[in-house]
Amino acid sequence: MRFHRFITDSSSSRLLLIFAGWGMDEKPFAGINPHGYDVAVVWDYRSLQVDFIPELMGYDEILIAAWSFGVAAASQFILDHPELPVTSRVAINGTQHPVDDRLGIPKAIFQGTLEGLTSRTLSKFHLRMAGSSQRYQQFSANLPTREITELRDELTAIGQRNVPLITWDRAYIADNDRIIPTANQQKAWEAEACSVHTFSGAHLPDFGTLFHSMFTDKCLVSRRFGKASMTYDSNASVQQLIARTLTNDWAPACTSPVDVLEIGCGTGYATRLMMQKLPIRTLTLWDLHVPSGLHNAINDCRSSAISIKECDAETEIRALEAETLDVIFSTSTVQWFNSLPAFLRTASRVLRPGGQMVISTFGPRTMEEVNHAIGRKSPYPDLPELRRMLPAAFRIDMLSSHTEVLSFTTPMDVLRHIRDTGVNALSAGTTVAQTHSILKNYPTSPSGDVTLTYQPIYIILTKTES
């Protein structure tokens, strides 16, 4: 495999690692610039040997996005390098079965492509891949520069290789894929514990748009919540209700002092509720942004050993030793993670047997009015999808949801509420045009009411296995 890195932000500690499709190099991805991430591209699967691991070791978080035949190569890479801080694993228009009559490219089509490969047939392949002449022209502006003999050797190697199966977080499937049939991709991912998303397009997607919807700009999240720290408590009525509901419905499985990690402690509202519930031996508080007043907010419980750290919990938790915690507690935070499944797997490792995970997140109806106004799909999983994410080591004590609807006078009041609670980090790439669209197209009831919907989801798990 070959490797090329685009440094999009020299201070970034996070990397988007793209596994390109067959026949590609780094050129088609040169314009990809997701906020808060460096970008690197891997291509050429004649061999799966790598020599670029040292260049990856300095990152705190690596997101893997694999496209087409890059999915199978990425599966092998992830399996071979568990030492890397990989969180999100996303497959785009590809499967772990590259050549397969039911789950990948049919064998006859694959063989025909290999035997008839010329410069002319390669151009036809690129046109089918793009799906339209306009998209093909855009692709041609950054055309890969590789020899036909090299591409033939790469295709031969792919067809002969046995592919290991690993767990992926999400699979994105175009509804008009003329390279790897859409129906075959759907069959392939239905058989795996993977969240599947269908989008309108061809085999060659708009990567910039897709990546923007897939990944969280955590630097932006930290800045937005930092700005909202003074207004959060007076505006976050739903988040406070969620914290109360979660702690009220939780029956702790402990009687002796316990070691607790809270993720997303914020201003300490949920922290205080949790402290009243437990006999705490040690309490560790993590957040991307720690408000200056947090120490005073929890000052009444100084009898416990308390540590507070400003960090990214999604990556920080990887450094914890196995079976060192009794409780992981988090309200209204894990929706910001790039990979909730990877976090849950790590959490099951660091919890002791009998330990509990007590968290809340949000479901797909959350902010449905805003999503409607700008034509955006919800990024949040529903209950069945969340259930599929849960590791086998956990017993489900609670997995439930409900809706909370806030009323406002105007759409502008909704936008102020979103700003004052910090959740405008959800719209990291919101443009001026999208803001105008929200103000113009925001749905109202027949009586003229303006509402904002939240759908909290409550998850309480107990670890049953060592």
Side-chain angles (χ1 to χ4, degrees):
M1 286 190 278
R2 286 191 262 179
F3 173 83
H4 185 93
R5 182 168 57 167
F6 302 98
I7 301 297
T8 56
D9 178 357
S10 60
S11 64
S12 178
S13 62
R14 301 180 177 93
L15 175 72
L16 171 58
L17 184 60
I18 302 170
F19 281 74
W22 166 73
M24 297 296 115
D25 59 16
E26 81 281 10
K27 293 181 181 62
F29 304 92
I32 301 298
N33 185 22
H35 296 288
Y37 296 90
D38 289 347
V39 178
V41 182
V42 177
W43 73 97
D44 187 356
Y45 306 126
R46 289 177 291 174
S47 167
L48 296 186
Q49 296 298 312
V50 299
D51 59 4
F52 51 82
I53 296 302
E55 295 191 55
L56 306 181
M57 294 305 293
Y59 288 98
D60 295 333
E61 180 180 17
I62 297 175
L63 316 179
I64 288 184
W67 172 46
S68 192
F69 280 175
V71 173
S75 292
Q76 185 68 65
F77 176 85
I78 293 168
L79 194 65
D80 290 345
H81 298 285
E83 75 278 12
L84 293 175
V86 173
T87 55
S88 186
R89 308 170 180 184
V90 177
I92 305 166
N93 287 341
T95 77
Q96 298 188 89
H97 312 271
V99 185
D100 190 288
D101 288 339
R102 292 182 60 256
L103 307 175
I105 288 183
K107 295 176 184 178
I109 294 177
F110 177 87
Q111 196 62 33
T113 302
L114 176 59
E115 293 174 356
L117 187 60
T118 64
S119 297
R120 181 170 173 271
T121 60
L122 181 63
S123 295
K124 289 185 175 180
F125 172 85
H126 287 160
L127 181 58
R128 290 199 312 275
M129 179 183 75
S132 69
S133 57
Q134 179 181 7
R135 191 77 179 95
Y136 175 71
Q137 290 299 320
Q138 294 170 345
F139 173 75
S140 298
N142 294 288
L143 201 66
T145 52
R146 297 180 59 189
E147 298 293 332
I148 290 294
T149 55
E150 181 178 298
L151 300 189
R152 187 177 293 113
D153 290 344
E154 182 182 7
L155 207 56
T156 300
I158 291 170
Q160 295 173 346
R161 190 171 286 135
N162 291 321
V163 180
L165 299 183
I166 66 167
T167 301
W168 285 78
D169 297 338
R170 286 169 286 168
Y172 287 80
I173 303 174
D175 62 3
N176 187 31
D177 195 320
R178 298 173 60 195
I179 303 300
I180 304 178
T182 297
N184 285 16
Q185 293 185 54
Q186 291 169 337
K187 290 189 188 80
W189 293 114
E190 282 172 3
E192 302 182 27
C194 177
S195 172
V196 178
H197 305 263
T198 301
F199 65 94
S200 178
H203 188 71
L204 175 67
D206 179 344
F207 286 107
T209 300
L210 267 186
F211 292 155
H212 172 69
S213 68
M214 290 175 185
F215 306 124
T216 300
D217 183 351
K218 295 179 181 178
C219 294
L220 177 71
V221 173
S222 178
R223 290 197 304 272
R224 294 278 170 86
F225 276 101
K227 290 181 179 179
S229 60
M230 299 300 293
T231 56
Y232 183 85
D233 281 343
S234 58
N235 289 275
S237 58
V238 171
Q239 289 80 356
Q240 291 170 358
L241 173 62
I242 291 169
R244 293 194 301 271
T245 302
L246 185 65
T247 51
N248 288 339
D249 291 346
W250 171 31
C254 56
T255 55
S256 57
V258 292
D259 300 307
V260 182
L261 168 65
E262 183 186 359
I263 293 170
C265 52
T267 59
Y269 182 88
T271 310
R272 295 190 296 273
L273 296 176
M274 180 264 297
M275 285 176 144
Q276 296 167 13
K277 198 88 173 181
L278 293 173
I280 296 176
R281 178 170 51 225
T282 64
L283 175 60
T284 302
L285 304 177
W286 290 347
D287 208 325
L288 281 172
H289 174 83
V290 176
S292 58
L294 179 61
H295 295 79
N296 294 332
I298 59 174
N299 195 44
D300 56 339
C301 296
R302 283 295 178 184
S303 57
S304 305
I306 299 175
S307 65
I308 302 174
K309 186 173 184 178
E310 198 164 86
C311 65
D312 179 0
E314 189 173 13
T315 56
E316 191 75 14
I317 195 170
R318 292 171 53 93
L320 296 183
E321 297 292 331
E323 299 188 356
T324 53
L325 293 173
D326 298 296
V327 175
I328 296 176
F329 179 80
S330 180
T331 66
S332 305
T333 298
V334 299
Q335 70 273 6
W336 303 111
F337 289 179
N338 281 314
S339 175
L340 181 55
F343 167 74
L344 292 170
R345 291 191 295 269
T346 305
S348 71
R349 178 184 63 82
V350 302
L351 279 171
R352 298 180 178 118
Q356 291 188 294
M357 170 165 286
V358 183
I359 61 176
S360 71
T361 184
F362 290 100
R365 291 198 59 190
T366 300
M367 296 195 179
E368 61 186 5
E369 298 90 348
V370 174
N371 292 332
H372 172 80
I374 62 176
R376 178 177 63 188
K377 290 184 178 180
S378 171
Y380 298 133
D382 58 18
L383 288 177
E385 189 175 336
L386 281 167
R387 186 180 293 274
R388 290 193 296 271
M389 294 180 189
L390 302 179
F394 285 125
R395 180 187 75 229
I396 302 174
D397 298 326
M398 175 181 288
L399 179 59
S400 65
S401 74
H402 63 86
T403 57
E404 294 291 333
V405 181
L406 301 182
S407 295
F408 298 89
T409 304
T410 68
M412 181 59 75
D413 293 323
V414 173
L415 292 177
R416 292 192 186 99
H417 163 80
I418 291 173
R419 178 199 64 198
D420 290 343
T421 54
V423 296
N424 51 348
L426 278 170
S427 32
T430 298
T431 64
V432 172
Q434 285 176 318
T435 299
H436 287 319
S437 182
I438 292 172
L439 295 176
K440 178 181 179 182
N441 300 322
Y442 203 91
T444 59
S445 70
S447 61
D449 290 341
V450 175
T451 61
L452 181 65
T453 300
Y454 286 88
Q455 184 189 359
I457 293 179
Y458 305 96
I459 306 172
I460 300 178
L461 310 170
T462 298
K463 182 177 177 179
T464 59
E465 301 176 13
S466 177

